[in-house]
Amino acid sequence: VFPFIKILCLKMVLSHHLTSANLLEPQRASGLFFKQARCASIKRNVKKDWSDHALWWEKKKTWLLKTHWTLDKYGIQADARLLFTPQHKLLRLQLPNMKHMRVKVNFSDRVFKAVSDICKTFNIRHPEELSLLRKPRDPKKKKKKLEEAEEEALELEGPLLTPGSGTPGLYSKTMTPTYDSRDGSPLSPTTAWFGDSPLSEGNPSILAVSQPITSPDILVKMYKPQSLLDKAKLNQGWLDSSRSLMEHDVKENEVLLLRFKYHSFFDLNPKYDAIRVNQLYEQAKWAILLEEIECTEEEMMMFAALQYHINKLSIMSSDNHMNNSEKEVDEVDAALSDLEITLEGGKTSNTLGDITSIPELADYVKVFKPKKLTLKGYKQYWCTFKDITISCYKSREEAHGTPAHQMNLRGCEVTPDVNISGQKFNIKLLIPVADGMNEIWLRCDAEKQYAQWMAACRLATKGKTMADSSYNLEVQNILSFLKMQHMNPDPQIIEPITIDINPECLVSPRYLKKYKNKQISARILEAHQNVAQMSLIEAKMRFIQAWQSLPEFGITHFLGGKKDELIGITYNRLIRMDSSTGDAIKTWRFSNMKQWNVNWEIKMVTVEFADEPSLAFICAEVDCKVVHEFIGGYIFLSTRAKDQNESLDEEMFYKLTSGWV
């Protein structure tokens, strides 16, 4: 190209000189031009900044970043092919809200560090909860379409923010509130909201404000896992956090998914986390709509009503913010709002019980222990819940004698089975034993009884009693979750059906096939009455809370062990699961774990426990490093505490997740 440009410029120079009064000879003119062009080229190359460039050894997949090393020390021979390339390259990120953004990412940094820089750019706290995932391919589609060209993309100019270059105190717990706690809108202009972030030049509303799904065709085109095996295949695409993007063969402008990888959300505060809350809400919304997580019909209508409410308030909030950007918020009211709507909190009781005694539950509860080829139903017992143990007696009068059944719930699986309209309040318990899991079902008669027993069971699985401060809070959360699923008995106060409901964009395809659009719209409006008084940020927090209450929440599936079995990993345990039904066969808690090892050659993960047989499974169709990282990552997240500073201990993360390859 450059010789062609020189010839073209030479012709222009010669034509200029030939038409001028003082004509020069063509040979003299061309010689003069080449001298000028050479000087200009040298001058231009001197000015170019090469500081971002580095050498990449493609064969060994490694960056030569230690510039004080010689090539011989790296083991490079004369025939080695090295690439001199920029470290920062453009990457297309699909955020949890399904919007695409182009950002400049350091391809020589480890993925963990790159994600931290991305989250700092987007003003998302606790980046250790997120990671990058390769886009799953729909096996039904044979031809790979250029989806990137069809998606919207926001170009972000400039490099990523480096730690410390943004607004001072951006992640400080004592910083000035960044968002209005009541509606999630920014309290300050965009430049102060994002500091020096490149987003201040773009459109930040797509990150902090939920945008409704505009067309049902969007849902139709997106990939939906049909079984647990499909869900397990989705998790094959997680990138190794201890390697760089170039080591993963990620190309410039390639599409990667930014997602919340670890379902353990720490210090979720709407005062500082409007973007984080919104992106969490979006990830939960799409997981439900694409049927990545199962929910009942009543729960689906509750989620749809919350979506409808959030969509309406988002439009109103953006309009109000444009008209009143200088509004003032009383700090005391904002603090009270935070206390009410944080994920871990609702309205706590002001009355304190006797802290010297441990509360107990005692009531008639129906108990069912399923066995093969059995036709017997539930049998009523007088049950007492003390500490972390349930004792079942044939009658109340025999409560001081020997119980007919006794269950220690430490480490058990607790699954709700609730149908509000059918007045069914069941609790499924899977209690670990030496050869697997004992299945026990408890049936409660009313919502209050169910909430108390369910909260006690959840605490008992963690080894906590009802004396724990979170017990009353857990009861209130369960009751509020049930209240949102109630059908409105008074049809007169239900608003008329309007066109903007668009039920095809609010419920999953399964229920669209089951009911007509008018029926779904009517049920959504009926369920909306239970959430109509919520503020925007509270509705998002309630949506996230309801998502966390689903039985399958937080379970990451992997193909492992036998052909008909899966390995599930959550924030506190490992589960061996039946791949066809999803039932837990055996559960192991991280708190009982001594160590875990990986045989990289045969892809086997071995986990040793304190008082149980060790667990060993083969990682089928997935890199065992991904499974290893999930276990170590959750253990790393469990070490976080509110009294710590906000800085991440990267070295500890790598020690727990990297392994020895």
Side-chain angles (χ1 to χ4, degrees):
V1 176
F2 187 66
F4 171 75
I5 295 174
K6 289 198 291 186
I7 294 172
L8 183 62
C9 293
L10 175 61
K11 289 182 179 180
M12 294 173 62
V13 171
L14 289 175
S15 62
H16 170 73
H17 283 289
L18 288 172
T19 54
S20 62
N22 299 324
L23 295 177
L24 295 175
E25 296 178 3
Q27 294 179 353
R28 182 184 171 191
S30 61
L32 179 63
F33 169 76
F34 284 125
K35 288 181 180 179
Q36 292 173 345
R38 184 177 297 174
C39 292
S41 176
I42 294 173
K43 188 176 181 181
R44 183 173 63 254
N45 288 335
V46 169
K47 284 186 176 181
K48 185 166 182 176
D49 184 7
W50 300 94
S51 60
D52 189 45
H53 284 61
L55 290 173
W56 165 252
W57 191 0
E58 190 172 8
K59 184 178 180 180
K60 297 292 185 180
K61 293 187 180 298
T62 183
W63 284 93
L64 310 184
L65 299 178
K66 297 178 180 179
T67 54
H68 58 283
W69 280 22
T70 63
L71 295 180
D72 183 62
K73 191 171 183 179
Y74 271 109
I76 296 174
Q77 303 297 324
D79 60 344
R81 184 177 181 272
L82 302 180
L83 182 64
F84 189 57
T85 180
Q87 298 176 68
H88 286 83
K89 301 176 186 288
L90 281 175
L91 189 68
R92 286 176 58 89
L93 286 180
Q94 188 194 71
L95 302 183
N97 63 354
M98 298 298 176
K99 294 296 179 181
H100 284 69
M101 286 188 167
R102 283 194 181 95
V103 291
K104 264 193 174 179
V105 181
N106 192 335
F107 274 53
S108 65
D109 273 343
R110 294 178 176 181
V111 168
F112 185 82
K113 178 65 167 58
V115 171
S116 297
D117 287 343
I118 291 169
C119 290
K120 189 166 278 289
T121 303
F122 294 160
N123 199 5
I124 297 176
R125 296 194 307 152
H126 301 292
E128 66 274 12
E129 299 169 359
L130 297 93
S131 191
L132 297 175
L133 177 71
R134 288 191 185 273
K135 201 169 185 179
R137 293 184 182 179
D138 192 343
K140 296 180 181 178
K141 295 181 180 179
K142 296 182 180 180
K143 294 182 180 179
K144 184 180 178 181
K145 298 181 180 179
L146 296 176
E147 298 178 358
E148 293 83 358
E150 300 174 1
E151 298 284 352
E152 295 180 358
L154 175 62
E155 185 75 31
L156 300 185
E157 301 293 340
L160 284 175
L161 281 180
T162 54
S165 64
T167 305
L170 187 64
Y171 293 148
S172 172
K173 299 175 192 174
T174 58
M175 67 182 178
T176 305
T178 315
Y179 306 99
D180 184 348
S181 302
R182 291 171 289 192
D183 62 7
S185 59
L187 293 178
S188 55
T190 303
T191 52
W193 186 19
F194 284 92
D196 300 330
S197 168
L199 272 175
S200 60
E201 301 173 5
N203 181 15
S205 63
I206 65 172
L207 297 183
V209 179
S210 174
Q211 295 182 340
I213 302 172
T214 55
S215 171
D217 295 337
I218 298 176
L219 279 174
V220 174
K221 293 179 181 178
M222 300 190 72
Y223 173 65
K224 303 176 189 64
Q226 301 298 321
S227 64
L228 287 174
L229 294 176
D230 291 340
K231 295 176 184 178
K233 290 177 181 178
L234 290 177
N235 295 311
Q236 297 176 11
W238 288 108
L239 300 189
D240 185 346
S241 296
S242 60
R243 297 163 62 195
S244 67
L245 291 173
M246 289 284 277
E247 292 176 69
H248 288 92
D249 293 324
V250 176
K251 308 300 181 185
E252 189 170 7
N253 278 318
E254 186 173 334
V255 177
L256 292 179
L257 279 56
L258 181 68
R259 294 291 185 270
F260 287 88
K261 178 179 181 179
Y262 301 104
H263 293 76
S264 177
F265 315 126
F266 182 72
D267 190 25
L268 196 61
N269 193 325
K271 188 191 295 184
Y272 315 123
D273 291 329
I275 292 177
R276 183 171 167 226
V277 167
N278 185 62
Q279 296 302 318
L280 258 177
Y281 157 72
E282 290 285 345
Q283 183 162 326
K285 178 183 77 175
W286 285 103
I288 290 165
L289 292 178
L290 298 178
E291 298 177 355
E292 294 176 6
I293 186 169
E294 297 290 333
C295 63
T296 64
E297 187 174 310
E298 290 176 338
E299 290 167 344
M300 177 59 72
M301 296 307 160
M302 176 198 64
F303 284 123
L306 282 169
Q307 279 188 72
Y308 174 63
H309 186 63
I310 290 169
N311 292 342
K312 286 178 62 176
L313 292 184
S314 296
I315 298 172
M316 294 168 56
S317 176
S318 59
D319 293 341
N320 292 338
H321 181 65
M322 292 297 292
N323 298 330
N324 186 20
S325 60
E326 300 298 327
K327 62 182 179 180
E328 295 182 358
V329 177
D330 185 82
E331 292 184 2
V332 176
D333 290 342
L336 290 173
S337 298
D338 295 337
L339 193 60
E340 285 185 345
I341 62 182
T342 46
L343 187 59
E344 298 177 352
K347 295 182 179 179
T348 58
S349 174
N350 292 327
T351 58
L352 292 176
D354 183 3
I355 61 175
T356 60
S357 62
I358 298 177
E360 298 179 16
L361 291 175
D363 207 345
Y364 279 105
V365 178
K366 295 177 181 177
V367 181
F368 173 55
K369 186 176 182 180
K371 295 180 180 179
K372 292 182 178 179
L373 303 176
T374 182
L375 298 175
K376 293 183 179 180
Y378 288 87
K379 187 176 181 180
Q380 185 166 276
Y381 288 92
W382 176 260
C383 297
T384 61
F385 203 132
K386 185 176 182 180
D387 293 332
I388 58 174
T389 302
I390 297 178
S391 301
C392 303
Y393 303 90
K394 292 183 179 180
S395 65
R396 185 173 184 176
E397 290 72 21
E398 299 180 11
H400 297 289
T402 304
H405 304 287
Q406 199 165 35
M407 300 167 279
N408 188 301
L409 301 191
R410 183 187 293 273
C412 79
E413 292 285 316
V414 180
T415 306
D417 181 23
V418 177
N419 187 319
I420 301 294
S421 58
Q423 288 295 296
K424 183 177 74 171
F425 305 100
N426 293 344
I427 303 172
K428 179 182 176 182
L429 301 175
L430 290 174
I431 303 171
V433 292
D435 56 346
M437 306 286 283
N438 275 345
E439 184 176 346
I440 305 290
W441 288 75
L442 306 179
R443 171 169 285 185
C444 301
D445 295 327
E447 291 183 18
K448 186 176 181 181
Q449 184 190 35
Y450 166 79
Q452 292 172 340
W453 284 77
M454 181 55 131
C457 289
R458 285 178 176 172
L459 288 177
T461 62
K462 305 173 186 178
K464 298 179 180 179
T465 68
M466 286 173 278
D468 191 86
S469 59
S470 61
Y471 172 70
N472 289 330
L473 178 60
E474 185 70 25
V475 172
Q476 292 302 319
N477 286 339
I478 294 172
L479 287 173
S480 64
F481 181 56
L482 296 176
K483 184 180 178 181
M484 287 191 294
Q485 299 180 55
H486 274 284
M487 309 305 286
N488 197 321
D490 189 0
Q492 296 180 356
I493 63 174
I494 300 177
E495 57 184 291
I497 297 178
T498 55
I499 302 176
D500 64 334
I501 289 185
N502 206 2
E504 299 98 330
C505 301
L506 298 176
V507 299
S508 63
R510 178 187 305 176
Y511 298 103
L512 290 173
K513 296 175 184 177
K514 190 174 181 181
Y515 299 102
K516 295 180 180 179
N517 285 359
K518 287 186 178 180
Q519 293 175 312
I520 296 176
S521 299
R523 292 191 62 179
I524 291 174
L525 287 176
E526 193 172 354
H528 179 250
Q529 299 305 310
N530 297 321
V531 300
Q533 303 304 317
M534 292 183 183
S535 65
L536 176 59
I537 196 73
E538 183 182 3
K540 290 180 182 179
M541 297 289 279
R542 289 289 185 181
F543 194 101
I544 296 169
Q545 187 181 38
W547 175 45
Q548 291 178 298
S549 299
L550 295 177
E552 293 183 6
F553 169 78
I555 302 178
T556 306
H557 303 88
F558 294 100
L559 295 170
K562 301 177 183 178
K563 291 183 179 179
D564 57 344
E565 289 183 358
L566 295 173
I567 295 297
I569 302 178
T570 70
Y571 75 98
N572 64 348
R573 64 195 187 278
L574 286 166
I575 313 169
R576 192 187 289 277
M577 308 174 68
D578 189 312
S579 61
S580 57
T581 62
D583 292 339
I585 301 173
K586 177 74 175 175
T587 298
W588 299 267
R589 301 189 74 83
F590 290 154
S591 58
N592 199 29
M593 183 190 298
K594 290 173 59 179
Q595 64 178 1
W596 74 100
N597 303 296
V598 179
N599 187 323
W600 303 102
E601 294 182 359
I602 62 175
K603 294 186 175 182
M604 176 179 282
V605 178
T606 305
V607 188
E608 296 182 13
F609 299 93
D611 52 1
E612 295 183 69
S614 61
L615 164 68
F617 58 91
I618 300 291
C619 298
E621 298 186 26
V622 64
D623 188 352
C624 54
K625 175 64 173 64
V626 177
V627 179
H628 181 279
E629 189 170 307
F630 263 90
I631 297 174
Y634 273 124
I635 293 175
F636 172 77
L637 297 186
S638 67
T639 63
R640 297 179 296 181
K642 290 189 177 182
D643 57 349
Q644 293 176 341
N645 56 19
E646 295 288 336
S647 60
L648 284 175
D649 188 352
E650 290 188 33
E651 291 304 317
M652 177 59 69
F653 178 84
Y654 294 134
K655 285 180 181 178
L656 290 170
T657 61
S658 294
W660 295 271
V661 183

